[in-house]
């Protein structure tokens, strides 16, 4: 067999290849994230709005409420999530796969849907409903992040503690808890972030009385037309988000270095003794998670005069007195199409970014670069979608072709929200591929692209499919940025729901409930299918 | 023919491979032998093109490979733990390199069968690689590397992950197989037995440098210095004088080609055997059972210079006990002669 002569330097080519691959994700982040956000910051500083706005007591009251409700929600999510994490990680019981998937459903439900579900459940308790709804979303984050680590902790340390005379509880507090703390703090930081930037839930449940920074930015922009004031509040929020992200990153770093992990099959056991109480708590939490879902489904088929499908029939209309500019069905089709476009975009960007991140970690030079890019990719997850949507309105007119009126604007915004999620799902799987497998393929004659196809893609295709599925449902439910950007003649379903709720009328309510029920079923179906595709034990959510 | 000139690999401030010059004629099997962390695997990876930060030159038949990427070098690589593709069956793994080279399916299939037979796994083509034992996995890894007729085979601790008995058996098979296929190969190992079983020539590495190369017999009988002697099992080193084709030391004589003059004799435990009529007298200070013999620690009645305690071996039946008087005889096969100490 003849071997080819020298080509380009392997080192130089691999390096430049990565740079070329990085261009698209970096450009995407720069244009559709950094630029709008920086523009908002500029707007805030530009007219002295920061000082003026931050000087008012109202802002601090709102900021206080934002942090307060986020802290309460985070505490509640931790409290509810830890027993579930234990259940998922440590117990060997039939049907756990279903539970694992079930826990994930609330996390990807559209915020509008959850807001409405809690309004059905608790029509009067506004603050309580906000806290409960935010916690409802994030139980999954705690359960899966902490459970993910817990399942792989070497159980022999705990056994050693027990053999040295520690009670089950003592062994937990002195051995497991310290090992879990990085995951718990990392999950807490993420949950706090989600809760403090939560938009749809607060908008629907808080009404005009209970406002967070996120809803206030929205109100000031769309209702009061106080752009500088909104920018100033975005700035305040951005600062808080960066702090929370840094805390989370610190937690993650500790987790990555410190532990020797085992496979779940080695650590799961049948529960014993007091562990049954923890399990009871976990199943209690699961029941509570189901309650709003069931309540909403029930409400969607109950009308003023008994059970009925009036709301679902109304899908073909535009609501009472033409509240919507299009029919519910058209909004649904538009939603599906938009989410599809957003998913394709996000998959391209997320895949390229993951490839670059895996490649950079391989090179000795590039660790700090990789870590920075990694963090930058996570930023859109934390920065409020409302800020981003607002930023688009301020900046994108400068691009050729005026994107602001283009049907691609919403997909771009949604893709930005979805991309970090895709990276979080795909990247850990790609990182878990032993570098030497790629090297083995290379020594057998596979070039870089061929190695990617034959090794990375062949081993991670399930993760890619799962990422696309999750990305799709999240894009489908995206509300914060979309509510800013969707044109009235082309609303997505969540936007339509918000519009319906803003106008009184039983038919409008009924239609909103029907739309939410459909969104929920669709989301649950996709999550159920997709979660089966995940590589067990990998990925963060 | 493979040649390296001043091959150097640094990780930050650590120099893993420090200016190695190597020459490997076609058809020769070279063992890179050294303790863990000496840079031998890094050297192998640099030859394969997997250490992009390296300096120096790697040449094949005189042509510099600096610009040939890994997948164009035609060097097969076998990892310590196989690194088989988990998503492909045994045949799929072996056929991988053939597919990359664009070999037609029918030809591929017959070449895969040929290799399966070569490594003793005929009929295992459709097995999942995750169901194979460690030894079978390594056979598949070897077949996979050999399939596209690599011009050089690189084996990185190919048997280390296996248990002892299997390792010994596979080492013999691998040695036969390398000869049968006429392979040019570099085997990295920290195991003496493996190196001596497999190699035509042995290169001993220490801290990134090659400190000695030679035939297995040369390296065994004439280590380059004290470090190599101790690495190759000598526990006691005694001063000696070479005269008339033998090195004479306090415990006896060892035949040698070394020129007359001062020298040292290195003693492995097996160099001194308990014998009723042995000339060296001592008393047993400790004994340990090994598989096929007893190892003794013997305090000499007459210390040889600074050395008053030596290791020795005895048959299992009638082995002396701690405290017994014992007589020892020098067996030259277990000894080495050094002409330089450092």
């Amino acid at each position: 067999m003849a071997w080819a002569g020298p080509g380009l330097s392997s080192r130089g080519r691999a390096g430049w290849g990565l740079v070329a691959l990085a261009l698209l994700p970096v450009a995407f982040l720069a244009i559709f994230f950094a630029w709008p956000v920086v523009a908002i910051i500029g707007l805030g500083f530009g007219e002295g709005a920061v000082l003026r706005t931050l000087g008012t007591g109202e802002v601090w009251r709102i900021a206080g409420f934002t942090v307060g409700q986020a802290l309460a929600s985070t505490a509640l999510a931790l409290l509810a999530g830890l027993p579930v994490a234990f259940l998922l990680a440590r117990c060997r019981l039939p049907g756990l796969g279903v539970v694992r998937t079930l826990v994930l459903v609330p996390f990807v439900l559209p915020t509008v849907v959850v807001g409405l579900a809690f309004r059905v459940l608790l029509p009067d308790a506004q603050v309580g409903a906000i806290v409960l709804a935010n916690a409802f979303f994030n139980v999954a984050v705690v359960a899966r992040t902490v459970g993910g680590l817990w399942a792989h902790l070497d159980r022999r340390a705990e056994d050693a503690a027990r053999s040295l005379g520690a009670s089950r509880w003592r062994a937990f507090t002195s051995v497991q808890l310290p090992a879990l703390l990085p995951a718990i703090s990392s999950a807490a930081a993420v949950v706090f972030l989600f809760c403090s930037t939560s938009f749809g839930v607060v908008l629907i449940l808080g009404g005009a009385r209970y406002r967070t920074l996120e809803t206030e930015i929205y109100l000031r922009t769309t209702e009061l037309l106080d752009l500088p004031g909104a920018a100033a509040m975005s700035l305040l929020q951005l600062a808080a988000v960066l702090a929370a992200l840094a805390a989370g990153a610190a937690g993650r770093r500790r987790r990555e270095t410190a532990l020797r992990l085992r496979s779940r099959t080695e650590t799961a056991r049948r529960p014993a003794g007091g562990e049954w109480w923890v399990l009871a708590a976990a199943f209690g939490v699961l029941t509570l998670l189901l309650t709003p879902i069931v309540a909403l489904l029930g409400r969607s088929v109950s009308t003023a005069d008994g059970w009925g499908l009036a709301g679902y029939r109304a899908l073909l209309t535009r609501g009472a007195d033409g509240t919507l500019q299009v029919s519910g069905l058209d909004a649904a089709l538009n939603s599906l199409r938009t989410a599809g476009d957003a998913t394709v975009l996000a998959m391209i960007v997320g895949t390229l970014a993951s490839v670059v991140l895996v490649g950079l970690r391989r090179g000795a030079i590039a660790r700090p670069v990789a870590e920075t890019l990694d963090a930058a990719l996570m930023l859109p997850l934390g920065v409020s979608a409302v800020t981003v949507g607002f930023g688009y309105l301020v900046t994108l007119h400068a691009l050729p072709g005026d994107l602001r009126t283009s049907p691609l604007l919403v997909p771009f915004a949604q893709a930005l929200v979805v991309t970090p999620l895709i990276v979080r799902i795909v990247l850990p799987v790609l990182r878990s591929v032993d570098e030497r497998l790629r090297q083995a393929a290379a020594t057998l004659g596979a070039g870089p692209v061929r190695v990617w196809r034959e090794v990375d893609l062949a081993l991670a295709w399930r993760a890619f499919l799962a990422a696309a599925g999750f990305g799709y449902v999240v894009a489908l439910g995206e509300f914060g940025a979309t509510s800013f950007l969707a044109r009235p003649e082309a609303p997505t379903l969540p936007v339509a729901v918000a519009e319906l709720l803003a106008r009184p009328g039983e038919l409008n309510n009924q239609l909103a409930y029907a739309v939410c029920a459909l969104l929920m079923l669709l989301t649950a179906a996709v999550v159920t299918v997709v979660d089966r595709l995940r590589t067990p034990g990998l990925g963060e959510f | 023919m493979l040649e390296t000139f001043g091959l150097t690999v640094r990780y930050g401030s650590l120099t893993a491979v420090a200016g190695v010059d190597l020459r490997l004629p076609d058809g020769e099997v070279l063992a890179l032998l050294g303790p863990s962390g000496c840079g031998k695997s890094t050297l192998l990876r640099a030859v394969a093109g997997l250490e992009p930060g390296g300096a120096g030159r790697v040449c094949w038949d005189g042509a510099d490979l600096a610009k040939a990427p890994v997948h164009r070098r035609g060097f097969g690589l076998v990892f310590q733990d196989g690194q088989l593709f988990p998503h492909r069956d045994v045949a799929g793994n072996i056929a991988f390199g053939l597919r990359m080279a664009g070999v037609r399916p029918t030809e591929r299939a017959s070449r895969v069968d040929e290799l399966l037979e070569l490594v003793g796994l005929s009929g295992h083509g459709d097995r999942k690689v995750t169901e194979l034992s460690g030894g079978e996995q390594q056979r598949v890894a070897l077949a996979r590397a050999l399939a596209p007729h690599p011009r050089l085979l690189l084996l990185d601790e190919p048997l280390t992950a296996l248990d002892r008995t299997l390792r010994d058996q596979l080492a013999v098979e691998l040695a036969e197989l390398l000869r049968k296929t006429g392979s040019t190969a570099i085997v990295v190992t920290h195991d003496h037995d493996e190196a001596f079983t497999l190699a035509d020539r042995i290169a001993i590495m220490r801290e990134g440098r090659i400190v000695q190369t030679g035939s297995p017999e040369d390296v065994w009988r004439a280590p380059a210095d004290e470090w190599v002697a101790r690495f190759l099992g000598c526990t006691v080193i005694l001063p000696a004088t070479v005269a008339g084709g033998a090195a004479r030391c306090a415990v006896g004589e060892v035949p040698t080609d070394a020129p007359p003059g001062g020298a040292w004799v290195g003693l492995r435990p097996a160099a001194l055997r308990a014998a009723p009529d042995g000339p060296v007298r001592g008393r047993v200070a400790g004994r340990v059972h090994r598989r096929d013999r007893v190892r003794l620690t013997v305090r000499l009645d007459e210390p040889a210079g600074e050395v008053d305690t030596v290791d020795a071996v005895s048959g299992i039946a009638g082995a002396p006990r701690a405290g017994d008087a014992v007589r020892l005889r020098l067996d030259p096969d277990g000894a080495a002669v050094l002409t330089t100490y450092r």
Side-chain angles (χ1 to χ4, degrees):
Chain A
M1 201 165 296
W3 296 103
L8 279 169
S9 153
S10 57
R11 179 191 181 190
R13 183 153 53 183
W16 286 113
L18 281 183
V19 171
L21 286 182
L23 276 181
L24 185 69
V26 168
F28 178 77
L29 278 181
I31 295 174
F32 292 100
F33 179 64
W35 184 28
V37 172
V38 168
I40 292 293
I41 295 174
L43 201 56
F45 278 115
E47 302 180 23
V50 174
L51 291 179
R52 187 156 29 85
T53 311
L54 297 190
T56 61
E58 196 197 3
V59 171
W60 294 106
R61 204 179 47 72
I62 292 174
F65 178 70
T66 307
V67 172
Q69 64 86 23
L71 282 177
S73 307
T74 306
L76 192 60
L78 281 179
L79 205 63
L82 287 179
V84 181
F86 174 81
L87 171 70
L88 292 181
R90 282 287 150 118
C91 298
R92 194 176 294 158
L93 290 173
L96 268 191
V98 179
V99 174
R100 188 182 306 274
T101 306
L102 188 76
V103 168
L104 200 59
V105 171
F107 179 65
V108 284
L109 279 184
T111 53
V112 183
V113 174
V114 175
L116 204 57
F118 274 86
R119 204 162 90 165
V120 173
L121 211 57
L122 306 163
D124 300 319
Q126 284 176 327
V127 178
I130 291 176
V131 169
L132 279 174
N134 274 337
F136 170 83
F137 270 116
N138 289 301
V139 168
V141 178
V142 176
R144 308 258 306 200
T145 311
V146 178
L149 178 64
W150 209 339
H152 300 283
L153 277 188
D154 195 334
R155 210 153 178 170
R156 284 172 300 181
E158 188 193 337
D159 292 342
R162 293 297 305 281
S163 75
L164 291 167
S167 68
R168 219 183 279 278
W169 174 249
R170 189 76 192 279
F172 171 74
T173 54
S174 60
V175 177
Q176 292 186 61
L177 200 57
L180 287 177
L181 262 180
I184 294 177
S185 61
S186 159
V190 171
V191 171
F192 179 77
L193 207 66
F194 285 159
C195 293
S196 55
T197 60
S198 145
F199 177 59
V201 161
V202 182
L203 193 68
I204 287 179
L205 293 175
R209 255 178 70 205
Y210 298 101
R211 287 168 290 162
T212 60
L213 287 174
E214 185 86 0
T215 58
E216 184 69 9
I217 295 167
Y218 178 76
L219 290 177
R220 287 203 181 202
T221 316
T222 57
E223 315 266 310
L224 308 175
L225 301 178
D226 174 16
L227 292 190
M233 302 189 88
S234 293
L235 201 57
L236 185 62
Q237 194 183 38
L238 198 61
V241 161
L242 284 177
L245 271 184
R252 209 163 35 234
R253 206 164 14 251
R254 260 178 299 161
R255 183 178 64 181
E256 275 180 3
T257 51
L259 297 161
R260 216 178 122 240
L261 303 177
R262 323 285 308 176
S263 80
R264 181 180 190 276
T265 44
E266 284 177 59
T267 61
R269 295 177 188 172
R270 275 192 70 78
E275 291 178 352
W276 284 108
W277 290 106
V278 183
L279 284 197
F283 282 109
V285 169
L286 292 174
T287 313
L288 287 177
L289 288 181
L290 277 177
T291 315
I293 297 179
V294 173
L296 180 65
L297 284 176
R299 183 65 180 78
S300 77
V301 291
S302 70
T303 60
D305 29 62
W307 303 106
L309 293 173
Y312 291 89
R313 275 195 294 274
L315 280 173
L316 295 172
T317 73
R318 306 186 343 196
D321 307 326
T323 300
L324 303 176
Q325 289 197 16
V326 298
S327 75
L329 190 64
D330 285 337
L333 291 178
N334 184 50
S335 258
L336 295 175
R337 215 171 23 239
T338 309
D341 292 346
T343 307
V344 171
L345 274 171
M347 282 301 286
I348 294 172
V349 174
T351 303
L352 287 178
S354 302
V355 171
V356 171
L357 281 176
V358 171
L360 282 184
R361 179 161 286 200
R362 269 185 264 163
I365 20 159
R367 219 190 146 95
V369 179
E371 278 181 4
T372 311
L373 184 60
D374 202 349
L377 273 167
M378 288 309 107
L379 269 180
L381 205 62
V383 174
S384 88
V386 169
T387 303
V388 174
F390 179 23
Y392 280 19
L393 294 185
V394 180
T395 52
L396 295 185
H397 59 87
L399 286 182
D402 199 358
L403 205 58
R404 278 189 301 178
T405 56
S406 153
L408 270 181
L409 181 58
V410 175
F412 269 113
Q414 291 180 348
L416 186 72
V417 176
V418 170
T419 302
L421 205 65
I422 287 180
V423 173
R424 272 291 150 248
I425 294 174
V426 168
L427 190 58
V429 179
L430 288 183
R431 280 202 172 133
S432 75
V433 174
D434 195 314
E435 184 55 29
R436 288 171 303 169
L437 274 183
R438 300 190 183 97
Q439 295 176 347
T443 60
L444 291 165
V449 176
R450 200 81 197 263
V451 168
W452 158 253
R453 215 175 73 202
E454 297 278 352
V455 179
D456 293 89
L457 194 59
L459 287 172
W461 65 270
R462 292 155 75 96
F464 280 101
L465 261 184
F470 272 114
Y472 190 75
V473 289
V474 170
L476 208 54
E478 208 288 329
F479 182 54
T482 310
S483 64
F484 257 94
L485 302 172
R487 287 161 303 143
E489 71 274 18
T492 62
L493 285 180
V495 173
V497 169
E499 280 176 22
L500 288 169
L501 291 180
R503 301 279 194 87
E506 176 56 21
L507 184 66
N508 277 356
N509 271 340
Q510 211 58 52
L511 177 53
Y513 288 126
V515 167
C516 283
L518 283 184
L519 264 177
M520 190 159 70
L521 291 176
L522 184 63
T523 307
V526 173
V527 169
T528 309
V529 172
V530 148
D531 200 45
R532 302 272 132 189
L533 290 172
R534 306 281 301 279
T535 314
L538 289 170
E540 301 213 347
F541 298 123
Chain B
M1 181 174 66
L2 176 81
E3 287 168 296
T4 71
F5 302 97
L7 197 58
T8 301
V9 181
R10 290 193 184 85
Y11 301 123
S13 61
L14 179 87
T15 305
V17 177
V20 166
D21 300 325
L22 209 62
R23 201 164 164 281
L24 183 63
D26 289 348
E28 187 178 283
V29 178
L30 173 77
L32 277 178
L33 177 62
S36 51
C38 72
K40 54 193 190 299
S41 287
T42 309
L43 173 55
L44 193 79
R45 293 168 48 80
V47 169
L50 293 169
E51 294 290 344
R57 287 194 295 146
V58 178
C59 298
W60 185 264
D61 289 344
D64 192 337
L65 293 180
K67 293 186 170 168
V70 184
H71 63 284
R72 299 255 177 83
R73 292 198 176 189
F75 294 172
L77 178 58
V78 176
F79 289 98
Q80 178 176 337
D81 47 358
Q83 294 298 331
L84 300 178
F85 301 121
H87 54 295
R88 298 200 173 275
D89 61 11
V90 169
N93 267 276
I94 298 176
F96 190 92
L98 301 170
R99 280 200 301 124
M100 296 305 116
V103 175
R104 277 196 308 276
T106 46
E107 244 176 275
R108 249 190 266 156
S110 64
R111 176 80 179 134
V112 168
D113 287 343
E114 198 179 306
L115 280 153
L116 281 172
E117 194 187 334
L118 186 69
V119 298
L121 288 174
S122 290
H124 285 56
D126 52 2
R127 291 270 299 275
K128 278 189 177 178
V129 292
T130 44
E131 290 167 355
L132 301 179
S133 70
E136 287 168 335
Q137 288 189 10
Q138 281 309 83
R139 289 168 201 255
V140 174
L142 183 68
R144 182 179 69 176
L146 284 172
H149 298 286
R151 47 192 187 182
L152 172 66
L153 190 61
L154 303 168
L155 303 140
D156 190 358
E157 306 258 9
L159 307 175
T160 305
L162 310 175
D163 60 47
R164 173 111 227 145
T165 324
L166 187 61
R167 193 157 73 207
D168 293 346
Q169 177 202 336
L170 270 189
V172 175
E173 284 180 25
L174 180 56
E176 278 173 15
L177 200 146
L178 290 175
R179 301 300 177 286
K180 193 156 60 176
T181 53
S183 296
T184 312
I186 303 181
V187 187
V188 158
T189 178
H190 67 269
D191 184 296
H192 310 156
D193 292 341
E194 214 169 292
F196 284 92
T197 309
L198 292 173
D200 300 316
R201 203 154 54 100
I202 290 177
I204 292 180
M205 263 188 97
R206 177 191 181 191
E207 290 169 7
R209 294 172 196 284
I210 290 182
V211 289
Q212 185 175 9
T213 43
S215 70
E217 189 189 346
D218 285 350
V219 172
W220 185 253
R221 293 185 52 204
D225 59 20
E226 184 228 354
W227 184 89
V228 176
R230 291 200 186 275
F231 177 66
L232 292 178
C234 296
T235 52
V236 171
I237 294 180
L238 299 172
T241 314
V242 177
R248 175 180 296 275
C249 68
V251 294
E253 277 187 9
V254 182
T256 177
D257 304 330
W264 291 265
V265 167
L267 299 177
R268 301 182 178 90
L272 289 170
R273 295 177 180 277
D277 58 346
V280 180
R281 292 163 187 272
R283 196 163 286 278
V284 175
R287 56 174 257 173
V288 180
H289 255 286
R290 288 305 177 87
R291 277 186 301 186
D292 50 355
R293 61 203 168 159
V294 173
R295 241 180 96 164
L296 305 172
T297 310
V298 176
R299 192 171 295 276
L300 296 175
D301 290 349
E302 295 170 31
E306 292 165 16
V307 176
D308 62 353
T309 306
V310 296
D311 293 313
V313 294
S314 148
I316 293 172
R321 297 175 177 284
D324 287 355
V326 66
R327 296 175 69 153
L328 306 172
R329 175 182 296 286
L330 179 66
D331 177 354
D333 276 352
V337 177
L338 295 71
T339 51
T340 45
Y341 196 77
R342 290 213 189 278

